[in-house]
Every structure is written in structure tokens, then in C-alpha cells.
Amino acid sequence: MKNKLLTSTIIGAVSVILGGCASVTDSGQTATQSAVRAATSAVAPVAAPTYPVEAFFETTSYSLAGSERAWFPDNQSVLISSDETGIFNAYALNVETGDRRALTTSTTNASFAIGVLKDGSILYTADGGGDEINHIFHRALDGMVTDLTPGEAVKAYFVSWQAGNDAFIIATNERDPSFFDAYRVDAETFEKSRIFENTQGLGNFVVSGEGRHLAGLKSRTSADNTIFLVDLAGNGDAREITPHDGNIQHTVFTFTPDGSALVYGTDAAGEFVQAWKHDVETGAQEAMLEAEWDVSYVTYSPSGDYLVAGVNEDARTVVSIVDETGEFVALPDGLPEGDLRNLRFSPDEDTLALIVNSSRSPSDIFHVDLTKGDVDQLTDALAGKIDPSHLVAAEVIRYPSYDGLDIPAIQYRPLGASASTPVPAVVLVHGGPGGQSRTGFSSMIQHMVNNGFAVLAANNRGSSGYGKTFFHLDDKRHGDVDLRDIVEAKSYLAGLDWVDGDNIAVMGGSYGGYMTMAALAFHPEVFDAGVNIFGVTNWVRTLASIPPWWESFKESLFDEMGDPATDGDRHRAISPLFHAQNITKPVLVVQGANDPRVLQVESDEMVAAIEANGVPVEYILFPDEGHGFRKRENRITASQGYVKFLNRWLKGQVETAHAPSTVADSAP
């Protein structure tokens, strides 16, 4: 392999943007609140039609299979996942014609493509109605499907392919529900043999291409973990390769194509994650990639002649490609603005399949001929249902919190909003704790904005992507300092002359759902309504009932949130369920019956408590979803419910007709 990539050429230079993919203009990212207000007030009103909810969700979501084996042997088709039928299935996409051939046809459980075997058959993964008990399946050329990881309680995930495509590595918890062991699976016979018994509680495995070494993470706290390396040809012992003092976070990325070094991420050198490499024979370590933001991933093309790196640059991903000489590769003109995702080299590496996504455009798949410079769009996610000029671009801004700390946020201003026609607004809180709101396309957000609601997706302290200090500012202070950042988001919005400051709601899913209920319970006069999407309301129960497969990072979770054995009083104090008597504003609660993280009983009890308090509450319960939405019809129902609720309580608009639905929209 001709691999000259690990050179100083790449250090410090990964923030270069490729080809025609322009970066987002962050006009307010360092501005004070008054400067942001002045800048955004200057936008001229533009009329736009109100589209039906289906127009936003009948757009198609696409993703490409894993980087190593996304292409079929004919070099003319790639393996993708698509929800064009309303639920995700695997398809073969012809890069010459754009034609798609369905390889799975589930109408109940979402199926996601993993990769292509050398005979053209495929692997894919699916769970049971959102229960997160994922299995790995093989679909033969004749359509026969085999569950490679059977067992009612067995959870599995794909790790990597082996060189030559003769075998692949998976991880399952079949031996012990709390820990995942690694198995080698023969790609022809599908015989499975355990190659690593995970008694140390490692997670996030990567295995070198020739199958010699395995690396995994061992978490200690939310701020500290370490990497262990296993010589699979030796005695199988795991050897720590990142000993250190103090709190340092690591990430395992990949092995170099020749297997001689592990590429990993570390924040040991500063605020942000850099990519380093560890020589597996000598133990020598050296910096490989650094940027002014976190390095998100590093991967290689099949031959190893190209390195691809992604950097999380202020809520968007900037991708760089470096060739075998250490020079940056600029993609041909013709790609639209947006983030590059899922870069998949063809086996001969003359072409690329990739995805472009932006706040005004869902993910579409493009075919790039690196030799001719041609760019072809293979999919049309919008499918003509919405005029792109009627969608709203994300704007990255900063607003000051209660203590002067600048809080990053993604702002969406409805077309036509102005000082003369101010609009109600929604503060949207991401999941986590530790997630990040980003600038990519969101049908849910665009639907709300199209219906006349400004949206501010806040990245409160504790969010990832802004350095390790910012990330840990909320440790064991959840429901306090991070919540006050969300309260200040209301103040920021109310100061914009194009926002109706008297009608602002708070909304979020998962941890964001918790923040929604906490805002309504602990700051009851701030927001005018709330939308809680499968949010935690009782931390005492939630932390005592985490799924067994979270065992490897339970200590880290408890370090951040607190151990139920010792912090029960604080968990009760920050749990909205025990303070429901404070809630005075209308609430919409959304829940999946199969959710293994936030149990249905949490939402049932929250709804009952709000009702007992005499406060308007609506409840949407999905019997066939878990922690999120896999089915289009459910996403449509949920988003329609959000807008209907917000119209009623922020605009005073009440719908008289009630469309029939399979979900409950009142307390059970």
C-alpha cells in the first residue's frame, strides 16, 4: 500500500472546505445580543406558502452503507438505506441510472444497510419496534434472510470487515447481557468464533484489517477514559496504551490500512480532540491531525491511498480528503453547499458516492467521478414537494447566559417575520446530556418554521463540540446551570423585534424533554407552553432502570448525573414529576411504548400529575415506537401534533376538526 498520509502536511489544515461546498455563514457567532438583534432585524419579509405536514416528511431520507463495503462487485451500484416507503429498508442504488432495487421490504421494523459481501449478498441490522435490541441479518442473493445473532435478549452491532472480505467482526452480549464480546464470522459459512471475551468491560471496538489487533475504550468518568489494545494472536489480554494522570477523553477511530498503528482521538493536548496514532509494536505515539475544533472521525479508502477526516466546526462537519502524497484533494465543482457525509470510494477508487446535506436540503446522494470531474445527483429527497426557496437557512449565533457565558445556538427565522409582523418562537433543546444541535436538515424544524414559529436550537453548557471545559460545565449540576441557559434563551428571543416575546414555548426530546419539563416545573412563569418528547421526568427511576448493555459506561453516566445509591435526594430534587404542582402552562407529552431508556410509565405519571394540577395536557402515545421515530407516519403524526398544539397555545388558533389517528392523544 502506498501510504504517505501520516505527514505533517495535514496537521493544522483540516478546516479546509472541499470543492463547491461552502461553509455556513456564522454572522452572529461572536456577536453580542444587541448586535445579533440588529443584524437579524434587517431581513426583509418574504411571503411563503404554508405546506401540509406531509410535504416535509414525505421527503426521503438516505444513508450509504459502511465505508468499507458500500459498493457491489459490479462497481455500478452502492448499498443504501432509504425510508421512501415510510420505513427504512436496504436498497441497491445504480450510480449510472439512479434506479433503486429494494433488498429488504419490512413494513414494521426499520432495516439499515451494513455492507456488501464479495458475492453481492448483504448484511443489515434491525431491532424490534424501537426496542434497541438490534440483530444482524444476512440477505442472500435469492432473498433468503438469516438472523446471524439469534436470541430474544441478544443485542449485536457490526464492528468491521476483514481484509479480503473473507470475514467480518461483530460484537454481541450473548454471553453476558452487560458486556459485548467480539466474534469473527466467516463470510461464506457464517460460522462464528469468539475472538475476544470482554471481561474488562470495554466498548467501541475497532479491529485491524488483518485481524491481528483489537482496540476498545474503558470509561472511568464522563471526563476520563482510556484505550486498551488486544493482540488477538497472543493471549487475549487487554493492555492499556493511554495511561495518564487527570481527566483525558479518548476515542478509537480506526487502524491504519497496514495494521501497524491505531488512529485515535484525544483531548490531552488542549480543549479539543486531536487525532493521534499509536504504533502497535513499539508503542510510539505522535500527533496526526489537529484543528481548532474537535476531530470527529478519521477513515481510509479501501486501498489506504486516501485519508478522510471530519471536523466538527461550530455545529457542522467540515470534511477533508488527503491523497497518498499528503496533498489535499478538492472535489469537482457541481456539488451544492452543505455538509459532506458518508464518503464511499468505489473499489477502483476512481469514483465516490457521497451525501450532501444542509439546513435547506435533506440528504441527497451524489456520484463523483474523480478522474473526469463529473458530478451526478442520484436522488431527489425533496421530490418536488417543497420549493427550496421556501425553506429557511440555519444561522449560527451566540447569546449571553445568566453569568455572561456565550451559548451557541442554531437560529431559524420564518420567512416574513419582521418587526411589524413578529412571530411566536420555540426554544428547542437537544438530547444527551451532552448532545449537540447542528445545522443539518430537520423536517420537524422546517415544518414548525413554515407554520410561522421561530426556532432557536440551543447548545446549552454541557453540549459537545465546544471544548471539554464547556462540555463539563454542567456535570452534577443538571437541571440547574444548563437549565438556566435555556431560560436565558427565552430572554434572547424576547429581545428580537421580529419575535413575539409573549408567546415562546420550550420543546425537546429525551434529555431535551427532561429540560422542557424542568423549565415548566422549576421556572413556571418563563415559558408559555412546553412539548416533552420522551423526556425523563423521574431520574430516580430512570437511573435505576438503565438497559443492561449500558454497563460498560454506567460508571461514566453516574459520574456525570450522579449515582442513584448516593445522589438519590438530588435526583428527586431535579425530577419534574415530584414538582408537578408547580406546572401552570399547557404541555404536550409524546412517548413510544417500546422505549427502553425512558419507560412509558414516566410519561403516564407525568400526564396524570399535570391533569391533577388542573393544567391542560395532551398525550400522544405510539405503540410501535421506542426512543425516537422510525416510521414516517408516526413522524407525521407527531409533527402535526406539535404544530397543532403550538398554534393553540401560542397563536390562539383552535382546530375544530380532529383527524382520526391510531395513537392516543389524551391521558390513558
Side-chain angles (χ1 to χ4, degrees), residues 3-16 18 253 263 273-277 286-293 295-300 304-311 318-329:
N3 194 338
K4 302 177 183 178
L5 297 173
L6 306 183
T7 68
S8 60
T9 306
I10 197 169
I11 292 185
V14 295
S15 60
V16 175
L18 300 173
F253 289 141
V263 182
V273 173
Q274 300 176 355
W276 283 56
K277 63 172 183 173
E286 63 177 306
M288 175 182 169
L289 272 136
E290 60 185 20
E292 296 179 354
W293 301 91
V295 177
S296 300
Y297 67 83
V298 175
T299 188
Y300 291 91
D305 287 344
Y306 294 96
L307 178 149
V308 181
V311 173
V318 174
V319 176
S320 296
I321 305 174
V322 180
D323 68 15
E324 59 182 355
T325 69
E327 296 298 320
F328 284 92
V329 176

Side-chain angles (χ1 to χ4, degrees), residues 6 22 60 192 220 245 249 276 336 373 430 528 615-616 621 636 638:
L6 306 183
T60 303
K192 186 173 62 175
R220 185 183 69 83
D245 295 322
Q249 280 280 11
W276 283 56
H430 61 66
D528 302 290
V615 173
L621 176 65
I636 289 174

Side-chain angles (χ1 to χ4, degrees), residues 524-589:
E525 300 307 315
V526 173
F527 293 100
D528 302 290
V531 179
N532 163 21
I533 309 167
F534 41 84
V536 177
T537 60
N538 180 352
W539 283 109
V540 177
R541 176 194 289 118
T542 295
L543 292 173
S545 59
I546 61 174
W549 55 86
W550 285 17
E551 183 67 31
S552 64
F553 54 89
K554 183 173 72 174
E555 183 180 359
S556 175
L557 175 65
F558 287 176
D559 174 71
E560 181 172 359
M561 293 300 305
D563 190 328
T566 57
D567 292 299
D569 289 343
R570 188 176 65 86
H571 292 155
R572 188 177 183 88
I574 67 171
S575 295
L577 179 64
F578 305 119
H579 306 274
Q581 70 276 8
N582 297 334
I583 297 174
T584 61
K585 302 299 174 62
V587 184
L588 169 63
V589 178

